[in-house]
């Protein structure tokens, strides 16, 4: 197979389809989403068969149990995909919204209209349900999509792709509006990220290694987040109860998510009082603490943190703890070590809260709230395709609006420039 | 000189300065802008001397008269730089603005705060006044800047850089917030566009060749526009007088600007009536017409256009003219040949106007207005650093807001995720 030619063909088809999708009505796009949900519901047996093939191959190829778990399409996961499609159909359509309409002294009226980006390339690993999640958000926001899932999920993804094609066809939209790459040849990824004529943006979802490789080699913009090294800073003016609740929730609500706290900073003024209370709670939850020199003096017996710990995204019941000399030191630590994902201050002090909000340069900055709130659903975006730690285009949780752009619209009445 | 080490040093200094600039108040940044204006006013002799050196070197090196003209810092151009600084100081500050603040069912309050991008790299050619224009917009929007001007303007740019440093120092801001690259070694550009740790975005200003090279090699996002192949489509339901005025203005108001019309599309239903009227006006203005087969049948004696003409950005008194079979053909032509800069329809038909607005995929789409309006000042942005034909991050004229990002801010009261 000539992978370059195949990918170029997908690209051309996607570009052509993107124009049709862009001018389709909200109702038609919603119809396609709902028809896909129906198609998935009717294809449960076929989906299970395809998934079984992937699981068998996976076991033969020695995939570990975590990967096999992510790969599995249980009936409940199919339910979730179907429900997800219905939820996306119910979201407000961002496309065509005109804002900031003003009259200019020249007499022209100028505003901004929200429009699709065009063609979005999605690159992801084992979980086949991403195929539906990502495709539905792109379709709702008027974009065409080329999806490149993991080779271990190829049969499941192709079965899902069939349902998406059926849904598009039933709504009278081009089936090429959502294309799932058929080859497992790795060269397909290299092609997908270097076709600026056919692909407007790449959204990679997966491990840090995958995302770093894609960012390095891509010739089109990439919406990504690399890691989530999130902080909570307990200020000397913090309400102790709020501090305890937030620290425990930010770390222990879920260990494997990118918005989980990985480093806790404590103001030295209150360290002697707060650290034992915190340690007691974390011990009860089975969280291992790694402390700075000053922390270790208060919490005898815990491991001393190394430089590596301040950079670590544990995604596990491990927490780095550092005592800092007040707000300036906390902000300096965060702006140096944070992955610019989510950082929170606990304080009752108005001025310190304001300074933290202004000076911490992260995609979500919080006051007296758990970092676990950094999420498209919690923020009211309805759904998210990922969380961006970039500053360009989309920052923080990326929902439908992050998959759109705005063009200027100008209304005149024969106006010419003087 | 070790260019890589030198550029890395500039980058580190810019990153450090960007944090100070980001948390500086509006008043302080405005003070720096106004102090720079004063410094330029007082340095007129030094500026003229430095500029004379550049002009002499330029003449020795055989620069053509157009380049020498762009290079020259006349007293009027210095006035314009000073006036520009004062205008930018008077613009509203985009930084810190919080929008879309809502309460979520969880009880947290979520909004977006506008923040600087960080460090902006500007790469430009001969015109030294760009140094002040670009630096002032970056400074106003809370960003640090590294500027790399053309080697032919090195003395002028360094003299201007001295005034900027003076202005920053007088306001108590770090002088490294605006750094003009001192070496004329071309390797400096290569370094500047591949330092993602120190530079957040690159804005190239100059010829298409320069911008293509930078886009190809950059490892950081680039806000750019490559060319302006702008269209006016005269629909069969156009008001003939408006059509004539708009077509003439869009082409002849200025020939060398990116928002100048380069191709005129005329609905076949009215071609026989409109083309002679148009031709008469263009002939009077000395504009050469190049027509499609059908145009040539009506306007006997004009040159027949080739495929190249539909792609051409003439920047000259030359216009390609094509007769099309109505709206669909016009939109198809534009979406194929347009550089997605600015395209305008002239029509009195409501439905066709709405379709053109929705289906033409350009950064500015206009109804009954001259393409020449596509401009930051005309749109009310106050100033522009360029016009983006990309869809990611900034599209169309880029003002202060295009040099910013938004972060999520979350206000809680001890809230944790359930």
């Amino acid at each position: 197979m000539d992978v370059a030619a195949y990918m170029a063909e997908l690209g051309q088809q996607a570009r052509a389809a993107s124009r049709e999708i862009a001018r389709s009505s909200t109702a038609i796009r919603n119809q396609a989403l709902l028809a896909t949900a129906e198609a998935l519901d009717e294809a449960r047996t076929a989906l299970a068969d395809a998934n079984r093939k992937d699981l068998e191959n996976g076991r033969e190829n020695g995939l570990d149990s975590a990967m096999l778990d992510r790969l599995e399409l249980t009936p409940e996961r199919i339910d979730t995909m179907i429900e997800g499609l219905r939820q996306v159909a119910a979201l407000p359509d961002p496309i065509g919204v005109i804002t900031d309409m003003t009259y200019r002294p020249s007499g022209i009226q100028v505003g901004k209209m929200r429009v699709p980006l065009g063609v979005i390339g999605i690159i992801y690993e084992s979980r086949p349900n991403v195929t539906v999640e990502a495709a539905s958000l792109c379709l709702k926001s008027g974009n065409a999509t080329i999806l490149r899932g993991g080779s271990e999920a190829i049969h499941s993804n192709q079965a899902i792709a069939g349902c998406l094609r059926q849904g598009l066809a039933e709504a009278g939209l081009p089936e090429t509006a959502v294309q799932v790459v058929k080859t497992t040849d790795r060269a397909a990824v290299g092609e997908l990220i270097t076709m600026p004529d056919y692909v407007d943006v790449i959204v990679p979802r997966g491990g840090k290694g995958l995302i770093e490789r894609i960012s390095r080699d891509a010739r089109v913009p990439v919406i990504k987040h690399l890691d989530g090294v999130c902080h909570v800073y307990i200020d000397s003016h913090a309400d102790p109860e709020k501090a305890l609740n937030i620290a425990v929730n930010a770390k222990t609500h879920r260990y494997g998510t990118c918005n989980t706290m990985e480093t806790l900073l404590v103001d030295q003024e209150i360290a002697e009082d707060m650290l034992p209370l915190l340690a007691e709670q974390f011990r009860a939850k089975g969280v291992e603490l790694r402390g700075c020199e000053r922390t270790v003096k208060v919490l005898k017996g815990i491991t001393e943190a190394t430089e590596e710990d301040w950079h670590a995204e544990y995604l596990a019941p491990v927490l780095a703890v550092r005592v800092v000399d007040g707000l300036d030191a906390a902000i300096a630590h965060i702006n140096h070590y944070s992955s610019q994902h989510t950082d929170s201050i606990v304080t009752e002090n108005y001025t310190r809260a304001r300074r933290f909000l202004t000076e911490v340069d992260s995609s979500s900055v919080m006051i007296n709230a758990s970092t676990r709130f950094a999420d498209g659903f919690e923020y009211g975006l309805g759904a998210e395709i990922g969380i961006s730690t970039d500053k360009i285009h989309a920052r923080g949780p990326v929902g439908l609006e992050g998959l759109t752009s705005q063009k200027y619209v100008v209304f005149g009445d024969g106006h010419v420039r003087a």
Side-chain angles (χ1 to χ4, degrees), chain A:
Chain A
M1 181 190 216
D2 182 343
V3 175
Y6 169 67
M7 292 305 292
E9 194 194 342
L10 293 193
Q12 282 159 16
Q13 288 169 351
R15 177 62 74 212
S18 74
R19 301 202 195 284
E20 273 196 63
I21 293 288
R23 65 171 173 255
S24 67
S25 69
T26 310
I28 294 287
R29 276 177 276 133
N30 286 342
Q31 193 190 326
L33 291 167
L34 296 173
T36 302
E38 288 301 312
L40 282 172
D41 198 22
E42 283 160 20
R44 284 173 182 273
T45 315
L47 289 171
D49 290 347
N51 190 239
R52 199 171 309 115
K53 266 190 226 166
D54 287 332
L55 289 168
E56 279 164 17
N57 291 343
R59 273 186 285 267
E60 273 171 34
N61 294 329
L63 293 192
D64 64 29
S65 62
M67 268 194 105
L68 288 170
D69 174 60
R70 284 200 291 276
L71 187 52
E72 195 173 356
L73 275 183
T74 61
E76 294 72 32
R77 285 189 181 159
I78 296 175
D79 290 345
T80 306
M81 289 196 293
I82 292 170
E83 183 50 31
L85 282 161
R86 291 182 178 142
Q87 282 173 5
V88 172
L91 289 176
D93 185 359
I95 298 304
V97 173
I98 296 183
T99 53
D100 306 315
M101 205 67 174
T102 52
Y103 277 101
R104 298 292 309 149
S106 62
I108 59 170
Q109 217 180 344
V110 180
K112 286 174 167 191
M113 180 191 271
R114 200 161 280 285
V115 294
L117 285 174
V119 178
I120 297 175
I122 314 272
I123 299 165
Y124 53 108
E125 290 170 334
S126 46
R127 292 171 51 231
N129 39 328
V130 171
T131 310
V132 166
E133 281 173 32
S136 64
L137 291 173
C138 293
L139 178 57
K140 177 83 189 197
S141 54
N143 295 287
T145 333
I146 302 176
L147 296 120
R148 209 304 185 154
S151 55
E152 64 285 352
I154 185 80
H155 297 100
S156 312
N157 286 339
Q158 290 302 329
I160 292 170
C163 298
L164 282 157
R165 280 196 299 272
Q166 194 181 324
L168 288 161
E170 282 182 29
L173 290 172
E175 296 184 7
T176 46
V178 179
Q179 299 177 99
V180 178
V181 174
K182 282 198 174 109
T183 173
T184 57
D185 191 327
R186 279 172 174 245
V189 173
E191 294 296 327
L192 184 59
I193 65 176
T194 53
M195 307 195 296
D197 286 347
Y198 304 133
V199 176
D200 295 292
V201 65
I202 293 284
V203 182
R205 287 178 53 158
K208 193 172 172 179
L210 171 80
I211 294 173
E212 275 178 341
R213 257 193 332 274
I214 287 168
S215 306
R216 194 187 54 224
D217 299 335
R219 291 285 321 283
V220 289
V222 177
I223 296 177
K224 63 172 185 299
H225 93 101
L226 282 177
D227 41 18
V229 181
C230 302
H231 297 73
V232 172
Y233 166 57
I234 304 179
D235 180 58
S236 63
H237 290 191
D239 174 310
E241 200 183 321
K242 290 180 190 169
L244 279 172
N245 287 342
I246 288 169
V248 169
N249 185 264
K251 182 69 222 179
T252 70
H253 184 255
R254 271 182 74 186
Y255 294 114
T257 49
C258 59
N259 55 17
T260 297
M261 167 177 68
E262 302 291 10
T263 298
L264 175 65
L265 303 173
V266 181
D267 192 330
Q268 55 89 17
E269 273 189 48
I270 51 155
E272 277 188 46
D273 294 332
M274 283 301 295
L275 284 175
L277 299 172
L278 287 157
E280 192 189 328
Q281 299 253 0
F282 284 121
R283 202 173 300 125
K285 297 268 187 181
V287 175
E288 178 197 338
L289 301 182
R290 299 188 189 168
C292 69
E293 216 176 304
R294 286 195 277 184
T295 304
V296 170
K297 274 189 192 148
V298 182
L299 302 177
K300 306 238 185 317
I302 70 163
T303 316
E304 193 161 328
T306 64
E307 175 68 15
E308 261 173 45
D309 285 294
W310 312 127
H311 291 284
E313 184 181 18
Y314 299 115
L315 300 171
V318 182
L319 177 67
V321 184
R322 187 171 202 174
V323 174
V324 292
D325 291 332
L327 181 64
D328 284 308
I331 293 173
H333 178 99
I334 291 171
N335 282 340
H336 184 75
Y337 291 103
S338 162
S339 63
Q340 304 194 298
H341 188 299
T342 301
D343 299 291
S344 182
I345 185 174
V346 188
T347 190
E348 297 299 312
N349 183 294
Y350 170 83
T351 299
R352 291 184 194 171
R354 259 170 68 92
R355 277 198 56 207
F356 191 87
L357 206 65
T358 306
E359 296 179 27
V360 168
D361 184 23
S362 298
S363 73
S364 287
V365 184
M366 303 184 169
I367 301 169
N368 294 337
S370 167
T371 55
R372 284 283 296 138
F373 281 114
D375 173 291
F377 291 94
E378 292 295 335
Y379 284 1
L381 306 183
E384 71 174 38
I385 199 150
I387 293 183
S388 166
T389 56
D390 287 326
K391 288 185 183 175
I392 297 294
H393 189 68
R395 202 174 183 200
V398 181
L400 291 173
E401 210 174 274
L403 301 176
T404 66
S405 179
Q406 285 179 305
K407 67 183 180 192
Y408 280 96
V409 292
V410 175
F411 299 143
D413 196 36
H415 288 80
V416 297
R417 194 154 157 197

